[in-house]
Amino acid sequence: MVQHIPEADDIELMRRAAAGEARAFHALVDRHAQRLFRLAISMVGNAADAEDVLQETFIGAFRGLRSFEARSSVRTWLSRILATQAARWHRDRRRSRAQPMDESIPMPAGGPDSPPDAGMDVHAAMLRLSPEHRQVLALREFERMSYDEIAEVLGVPRGTVESRLHRARSEMREKLKAYLP
Amino acid sequence: MATCPFSEHLEAFYDGELDESRRSEVVSHLPQCPSCTEELGRLQAMSRMLLSGSSPRLSQIGLYRLHNRVDQAMEAGVLRIVRVLSAIAACVLVAGSAWLIRAREDRAVENTMPVAPPWADVVEASDSPSGAYSTPAAAWYLADDSARSDDSP
């Protein structure tokens, strides 16, 4: 299943995939799946839903192959589709009201405002952030994206990225203060 | 406790988002400011913690499912094109059949019409006695002609 097309960059793969070469698109999937999966987990909170969001992301990318104009990198373009799919996932979840978001996230024994205990990992602390703060923190810390790239992915002004990132870090510092200097 | 005026730029400095002049100001400020140095240390520690936290990976079966789903989407795209082409072909077939049926009916109507040309009656009438003329103009002419022959000396 893994399709290795060496020495072809993302743009070249996109061009070939748009021309109908299925192998090129599968190569793009292999190249970006792990990175996007981690991003998806940081956005939706669990592996099963992250896998669904990831699938929808690549299907969306496949359908939009011809609309890609290479104004941004493929990495940014895919991340933007993922962010859109994750936002849709949050919206559907809110609409169905089957289970509030925070109920699926492991919480420390002391409640949401208590400091993390020894059993709580950083990932769980991050999942206690709001989706907006979690997104911006994941794109910055995991993806190492610039503020402008994050703004493009999320479709918000750069100033919003800065303020969300600042708040996300403040909240994380509060939640992880037992571990931080 | 008064906050350092540089503290608001520390995050942007840490993220590499400051322009060159502002960046050099912060660099020269840091050795003189323990609170900013401490804050920078906290930002670095948090990044390390986030990156060292569990790094979930998509399993091989998950990757297989992903490729499978992409294949399905590709096939669905091809099927959609085939469906559109089939619909167009069906429309052409129906329109063509209707046209053929109509053309055959028109031909059948033509076959039921008399084959003789329009002047056939006139030619036929010239050989008949005057009362049998079916064309009014011819009847009038011949009638007038007989009157003229009656008046002749």
Side-chain angles (χ1 to χ4, degrees), chain A residues 44-172:
Chain A
V44 302
N46 66 81
D49 289 327
E51 203 178 307
D52 289 345
V53 167
L54 187 65
Q55 288 181 2
E56 292 306 314
T57 298
F58 277 110
I59 289 168
F62 176 73
R63 288 179 183 150
L65 273 176
R66 287 184 179 82
S67 68
F68 178 72
E69 293 171 350
R71 279 182 300 194
S72 59
S73 67
V74 174
R75 171 175 163 265
T76 307
W77 182 68
L78 287 172
S79 302
R80 189 166 61 229
I81 298 173
L82 180 76
T84 305
Q85 293 297 338
R88 183 174 295 168
W89 180 87
H90 281 294
R91 201 168 50 240
D92 291 348
R93 197 178 168 88
R94 271 200 300 272
R95 199 174 295 154
S96 69
R97 293 180 184 278
Q99 187 185 25
M101 178 65 204
D102 285 344
E103 285 179 18
S104 64
I105 299 168
M107 302 290 283
D113 295 326
S114 65
D117 60 21
M120 182 181 175
D121 62 12
V122 176
H123 181 64
M126 195 167 166
L127 290 178
R128 289 167 63 194
L129 299 177
S130 70
E132 289 80 14
H133 289 172
R134 202 184 313 153
Q135 275 182 338
V136 81
L137 194 63
L139 289 169
R140 177 61 214 155
E141 297 288 354
F142 299 147
E143 295 292 303
R144 311 304 299 170
M145 283 188 180
S146 69
Y147 292 175
D148 287 332
E149 284 176 318
I150 297 172
E152 192 186 336
V153 166
L154 299 180
V156 297
R158 183 189 156 103
T160 307
V161 171
E162 289 182 61
S163 63
R164 281 185 190 174
L165 189 56
H166 177 71
R167 282 183 200 156
R169 279 174 168 155
S170 301
E171 282 182 51
M172 282 298 280

Side-chain angles (χ1 to χ4, degrees), chain B residues 125-148:
Chain B
S126 66
D127 298 328
S128 310
S130 60
Y133 293 117
S134 55
T135 320
W140 170 81
Y141 178 76
L142 289 174
D144 190 45
D145 186 45
S146 61
R148 273 199 308 272

Side-chain angles (χ1 to χ4, degrees), chain B residues 9-29:
Chain B
H9 301 301
L10 273 182
E11 274 188 61
F13 172 78
Y14 176 68
D15 291 329
E17 295 282 339
L18 284 186
D19 59 51
E20 187 52 41
S21 64
R22 184 68 78 179
R23 199 187 71 82
S24 354
E25 281 174 23
V26 175
V27 167
S28 53
H29 166 76

